[in-house]
Amino acid sequence: MNRTVHIIGAGLAGLSAALKLAARDERVIVHEATAFAGGRCRSYHDASLGMTIDNGNHLLLSGNRAALDYLRSIGAERQLIGPAGAEFPFIDLATRQRWTLRFNEGRIPWWIFDSTRRVPGTRAFDYATLARLIWPPPGKTVGEVIACRGALYSGLVEPLFLAALNIEPPQASAKLAGAVIRETLAAGGHACRPLIARDGLGPTLIEPALAALQRRGSTMRFDHQLRALQFDGGRVDALDFGGETVALAADDAVVLAVPPYAAAALIRGLVVPTEFRAIVNAHFRIEPPHGWPPILGVLNGTVQWVFAFPGRLAVTISAGDRLLDSGREALARTIWAEVAAIGGPAGELPAALPPWQIVRERRATFAATPEQDAKRPDAATAWRNLVLAGDWTNTGLPATIEGAIRSGNRAAELIADRRVNRP
Ligand SMILES: Cc1cc2nc3c(=O)[nH]c(=O)nc-3n(C[C@H](O)[C@H](O)[C@H](O)COP(=O)(O)OP(=O)(O)OC[C@H]3O[C@@H](n4cnc5c(N)ncnc54)[C@H](O)[C@@H]3O)c2cc1C
């Protein structure tokens, strides 16, 4: 062990790169601008609710292989919970109809032939249109490849792509939608089981990673924001943290695992996605009614998904930009009215607003349009000891936990195999 790898940013991309490199006995230092790790995937104590909550509900699927490997490597895979099969209960607020989508395990989708398992109002034949998205023509939107209307669209395509791509599906990149279809529906129900972090994102995805890094002798530096990269010819030769400059030895390497706007500020001329979409989460301190499903899809409402946790119901609204400027309390009331209208199995939720919190992440993900996707850079850069990571780099996936972790793994691979930093 004779060189140091500096990792800038302690989100999932930075942490996964750090874990892979530390496992190969590299000396790792992680520099994080804020006082905490996790970036856009974190837990925090919320004073108005008096409880620890996540910045946003995060859903994994059983086919997220890099995320599951990451969790296994830090001993936290058992903290994910979900139903035994690929089941998604739904309610339509307009009609009050309830149903459960139930995918079968294998690749052959016989569930589409069973009217009790597919979207109400659809026929098996309708699902054939999804095949057009598996390998779509380049540069197209979903709206240019399939018709964005009808029961299959509103009962499956729209909720799936809103959640996975965080954008109104007609505008979404068909290429990214295709990656989602290939890794989920087309892979079979065994890849579609929904999984959530039972005890929260921090205790599941972040704290065990920090403990693993500590055991492997890696160093974490919080409140340590990289202000500038200093370049010398074909390499980075120093890191400027404002008041502290770290000179890099000939063999040292850097993984820049910061959001795209931060990376663009550090590397002049770097082309990155510049448009974003918001995600709005509402949390209500209330015990979920007995029998409330862990994850419930909602159609024809402002609410898109409701997650049930001990002592709390939490709502997710993807592509929630239209809600960024509305008053917080008015928004909480609108959302709660819908949740209360769903009621429990026996309709037992009060109309009165329980203690609440609204968390609006303005730049939750880059906008998954064909134009923005085309701006995603590869991990390797023009500088031989500098590699990029992050959910916005060119992973072929939308901005997700899975994409962030794969990007970190890829960055670590490039460095460990000395495909970068060759003198
Ligand atoms: C509300 C919400 C809900 C989501 N839901 C889901 C979901 O259900 N399923 C899913 O798979 N994904 C979901 N995502 C997406 C997922 O959270 C992200 O894809 C992932 O966390 C991105 O990780 P990252 O490491 O690429 O970036 P980030 O988490 O943004 O990490 C970047 C880190 O770099 C640090 N940094 C920035 N500048 C500097 C600097 N100059 N020096 C040092 N450090 C710096 C930041 O502080 C941050 O910690 C959601 C995201 C949000 C916001």
Side-chain angles (χ1 to χ4, degrees):
M1 180 157 85
N2 55 4
R3 64 167 173 182
T4 301
V5 183
H6 294 271
I7 297 187
I8 316 297
L12 285 169
L15 291 176
S16 53
L19 285 162
K20 287 284 184 199
L21 289 162
R24 289 180 170 229
D25 281 343
E26 301 275 4
R27 186 191 298 125
V28 171
I29 305 178
V30 183
H31 307 266
E32 164 57 44
T34 68
F36 52 84
R40 279 170 282 153
C41 180
R42 64 184 189 280
S43 303
Y44 71 98
H45 184 78
D46 187 90
S48 55
L49 288 176
M51 61 202 315
T52 296
I53 61 173
D54 294 334
N55 68 314
N57 303 314
H58 281 59
L59 184 67
L60 284 169
L61 293 176
S62 46
N64 291 157
R65 57 176 193 276
L68 295 183
D69 277 353
Y70 168 96
L71 285 162
R72 267 189 292 278
S73 79
I74 58 175
E77 75 274 24
R78 294 228 174 84
Q79 294 180 41
L80 288 183
I81 54 160
E87 296 182 3
F88 294 84
F90 274 91
I91 181 168
D92 183 336
L93 286 181
T95 60
R96 314 292 309 158
Q97 189 179 11
R98 288 176 186 260
W99 69 93
T100 299
L101 273 180
R102 281 198 190 87
F103 309 132
N104 57 284
E105 286 287 292
R107 279 181 183 270
I108 299 171
W110 57 260
W111 62 275
I112 66 176
F113 298 102
D114 182 342
S115 62
T116 65
R117 304 178 76 140
R118 66 185 182 221
V119 179
T122 60
R123 296 159 303 157
F125 177 74
D126 300 336
Y127 293 77
T129 56
L130 294 182
R132 280 189 234 142
L133 279 174
I134 295 183
W135 294 108
K140 298 281 185 204
T141 61
V142 169
E144 287 168 331
V145 177
I146 61 164
C148 292
R149 59 179 179 277
L152 180 63
Y153 177 73
S154 54
L156 176 62
V157 176
E158 188 176 36
L160 171 68
F161 289 155
L162 269 173
L165 297 161
N166 190 30
I167 189 166
E168 297 295 343
Q171 304 164 19
S173 149
K175 177 186 128 194
L176 294 177
V180 171
I181 296 267
R182 288 195 301 279
E183 300 217 357
T184 59
L185 292 182
H190 77 92
C192 301
R193 196 159 74 87
L195 299 168
I196 50 177
R198 182 192 61 203
D199 304 323
L201 299 172
T204 304
L205 283 142
I206 308 304
E207 284 147 33
L210 297 181
L213 287 172
Q214 193 180 24
R215 282 195 300 278
R216 287 173 186 156
S218 305
T219 303
M220 296 294 307
R221 297 204 56 186
F222 291 105
D223 296 313
H224 209 230
Q225 181 177 358
L226 183 68
R227 307 282 172 173
L229 291 160
Q230 289 177 13
F231 298 98
D232 178 27
R235 61 187 289 275
V236 176
D237 77 340
L239 303 174
D240 172 359
F241 292 97
E244 182 191 350
T245 299
V246 175
L248 302 189
D251 236 12
D252 290 352
V254 180
V255 177
L256 189 62
V258 301
Y261 41 88
L266 291 162
I267 303 177
R268 194 177 311 144
L270 182 70
V271 175
V272 299
T274 46
E275 286 177 25
F276 300 87
R277 289 293 183 274
I279 298 180
V280 175
N281 276 264
H283 305 262
F284 301 100
R285 199 181 73 205
I286 192 161
E287 203 52 56
H290 184 69
W292 188 289
I295 306 161
L296 175 67
V298 181
L299 303 188
N300 286 310
T302 303
V303 171
Q304 292 165 355
W305 296 93
V306 188
F307 291 68
F309 296 100
R312 180 165 59 95
L313 284 170
V315 164
T316 293
I317 302 161
S318 296
D321 301 72
R322 69 192 181 286
L323 305 174
L324 289 177
D325 299 323
S326 39
R328 287 166 44 77
E329 183 164 346
L331 185 56
R333 286 189 185 285
T334 304
I335 293 173
W336 181 251
E338 290 185 8
V339 177
I342 296 168
E348 64 277 31
L349 274 179
L353 186 62
W356 57 273
Q357 181 58 280
I358 301 275
V359 184
R360 297 188 261 212
E361 292 270 3
R362 282 175 184 270
R363 292 190 285 194
T365 65
F366 73 88
T369 61
E371 295 74 28
Q372 294 295 307
D373 183 50
K375 293 183 168 189
R376 299 168 79 184
D378 288 330
T381 69
W383 296 274
R384 65 177 182 268
N385 62 346
L386 175 64
V387 182
L388 302 176
D391 62 356
W392 54 276
T393 57
N394 194 10
T395 64
L397 293 178
T400 50
I401 292 176
E402 178 71 9
I405 291 176
R406 282 195 206 172
S407 79
N409 293 349
R410 166 96 182 122
E413 226 173 74
L414 285 172
I415 286 176
D417 296 350
R418 309 240 169 187
R419 274 180 269 167
V420 294
N421 209 18
R422 235 185 245 125

